[in-house]
C-alpha cells in the first residue's frame, strides 16, 4: 500500500490575524510572497478569499515555468482556508492532487500561521514542498516584519 507524506510548517508574524489572513488569501497579499525566492508569478488566478478554481505559473530566473492549480475548498476568515494542489506537466496535464490548509491563530505578539500540506505522493515530493514552502515563508516573514 502506498504511503502518502505530509508537510507541516509553522511561523509567527508580528501582524494581526486579519492582516495575516489577507496575506494568505487575497491576490494582493499572495502575489507578494507566493513561490520560492527568485521566482516570479507572471500568470495567475490567486484568490483564496472565495471558493472555486485557482492557478499560478511560477517562473525561475532561467525562464523555466512551473504551473500548479487546484480549488479553494473552504474559507473560514480569518481562521483557515483549504486548497487542493496539483502540479502540471509540460503538456499542461494536472498531476497528483494533494491538499493544503492554512490556519491562522492570534498570539500575544501577533499571529501564528500553520501550513499543513497533506497527501503528497512520496518523501521526495514532501522534501521538495518543504523547501518550496520554507523559501516562500521567508518572503512572507520579510513582508510582515
Amino acid at each position: 500500500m502506498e504511503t502518502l507524506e505530509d508537510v507541516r510548517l509553522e511561523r509567527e508574524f508580528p501582524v494581526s490575524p486579519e492582516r495575516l489572513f489577507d496575506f494568505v488569501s487575497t491576490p494582493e497579499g499572495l502575489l507578494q510572497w507566493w513561490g520560492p525566492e527568485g521566482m516570479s508569478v507572471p500568470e495567475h488566478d490567486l484568490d483564496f478569499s472565495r471558493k472555486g478554481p485557482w492557478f499560478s505559473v511560477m517562473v525561475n530566473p532561467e525562464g523555466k515555468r512551473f504551473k500548479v492549480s487546484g480549488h479553494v475548498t473552504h474559507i473560514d476568515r480569518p481562521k483557515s482556508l483549504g486548497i487542493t494542489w496539483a502540479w502540471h506537466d509540460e503538456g499542461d496535464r494536472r498531476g497528483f492532487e494533494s491538499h493544503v490548509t492554512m490556519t491562522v491563530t492570534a498570539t500575544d505578539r501577533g499571529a501564528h500561521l500553520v501550513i499543513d500540506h497533506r497527501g503528497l505522493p512520496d518523501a521526495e515530493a514532501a522534501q521538495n514542498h518543504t523547501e518550496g514552502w520554507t523559501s516562500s515563508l521567508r518572503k512572507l516573514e520579510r513582508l510582515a516584519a
Side-chain angles (χ1 to χ4, degrees), residues 12-23:
E12 299 283 334
F13 296 92
V15 298
S16 70
E18 294 78 14
R19 180 81 173 119
L20 183 56
F21 200 82
D22 284 344
F23 280 133

Side-chain angles (χ1 to χ4, degrees), residues 5-9 115-118 120 126 129-130 133:
E5 298 284 328
D6 299 333
V7 169
R8 180 181 172 97
L9 297 167
I115 295 179
D116 258 321
H117 196 150
R118 298 193 170 273
L120 292 160
H129 284 83
T130 297
W133 282 118

Side-chain angles (χ1 to χ4, degrees), residues 8-11 13 17 20-21 24 74 76 78-82 100-106 111-116:
R8 180 181 172 97
L9 297 167
E10 301 184 44
R11 298 290 186 280
F13 296 92
L20 183 56
F21 200 82
V24 301
H74 85 268
D76 182 11
K79 298 175 189 167
S80 70
L81 65 88
V100 178
T101 302
M102 297 187 205
T103 306
V104 176
T105 54
H112 180 84
L113 174 67
V114 175
I115 295 179
D116 258 321

Side-chain angles (χ1 to χ4, degrees), residues 77-126:
R77 180 174 179 76
K79 298 175 189 167
S80 70
L81 65 88
I83 59 173
T84 60
W85 177 284
W87 291 102
H88 291 237
D89 66 17
E90 278 127 29
D92 201 26
R93 290 176 299 271
R94 254 177 129 247
F96 191 90
E97 188 171 84
S98 54
H99 194 268
V100 178
T101 302
M102 297 187 205
T103 306
V104 176
T105 54
T107 67
D108 292 342
R109 294 184 308 272
H112 180 84
L113 174 67
V114 175
I115 295 179
D116 258 321
H117 196 150
R118 298 193 170 273
L120 292 160
D122 54 40
E124 181 182 1

Side-chain angles (χ1 to χ4, degrees), residues 21-105:
F21 200 82
D22 284 344
F23 280 133
V24 301
S25 65
T26 67
E28 300 79 20
L30 286 161
L31 284 172
Q32 296 183 67
W33 68 275
W34 191 254
E37 293 156 305
M39 293 274 200
S40 63
V41 184
E43 300 170 44
H44 67 88
D45 181 9
L46 281 173
D47 185 353
F48 300 159
S49 67
R50 47 89 179 129
K51 287 185 178 180
W54 70 273
F55 79 92
S56 72
V57 176
M58 295 172 270
V59 179
N60 72 12
E62 293 76 41
K64 185 166 182 186
R65 297 166 51 90
F66 302 89
K67 183 175 181 181
V68 62
S69 71
H71 276 81
V72 177
T73 59
H74 85 268
I75 309 147
D76 182 11
R77 180 174 179 76
K79 298 175 189 167
S80 70
L81 65 88
I83 59 173
T84 60
W85 177 284
W87 291 102
H88 291 237
D89 66 17
E90 278 127 29
D92 201 26
R93 290 176 299 271
R94 254 177 129 247
F96 191 90
E97 188 171 84
S98 54
H99 194 268
V100 178
T101 302
M102 297 187 205
T103 306
V104 176
T105 54

